[in-house]
Amino acid sequence: MTDEDRLQQMIGELRRMREQCEPKSNQNSRYLRYSNAVSALRWIIDDLAKERAAQPAAFDDVSAR
C-alpha cells in the first residue's frame, strides 16, 4: 500500500466522522476542522504525486536484457 493509498483511507475516515457532526456547517468548529484536515491530506497527496512525477524513472533490469 502506498502512502497515497493510506492517506486516501484517512480522508475517507475523516469524512465519515465529519458526517456525524451536527450541524453540518462551517459554523460548527469540529465540522470545519474535519474539512480542513481532509483538504490538508489532499494537498499532501498532490505533493507526493508531483514528487514522484519529478523523479527519474528507475532502472528496470528486465528492459536491459
Side-chain angles (χ1 to χ4, degrees):
M1 176 180 292
T2 67
D3 288 342
E4 290 93 336
D5 293 336
R6 291 173 48 214
L7 292 169
Q8 285 289 0
Q9 286 181 343
M10 289 179 201
I11 288 171
E13 184 64 24
L14 287 169
R15 285 179 172 158
R16 284 186 287 279
M17 294 168 75
R18 181 182 65 187
E19 286 304 309
Q20 295 173 5
C21 291
E22 290 296 335
K24 291 177 179 43
S25 163
N26 285 346
Q27 300 302 313
N28 178 336
S29 61
R30 188 179 313 153
Y31 184 90
L32 180 59
R33 287 185 182 118
Y34 281 130
S35 296
N36 290 339
V38 167
S39 294
L41 290 174
R42 292 180 69 200
W43 288 329
I44 293 169
I45 290 169
D46 290 345
D47 290 344
L48 291 170
K50 288 175 189 172
E51 288 173 12
R52 190 176 58 252
Q55 292 176 352
F59 181 72
D60 184 359
D61 290 336
V62 175
S63 64
R65 293 182 190 171

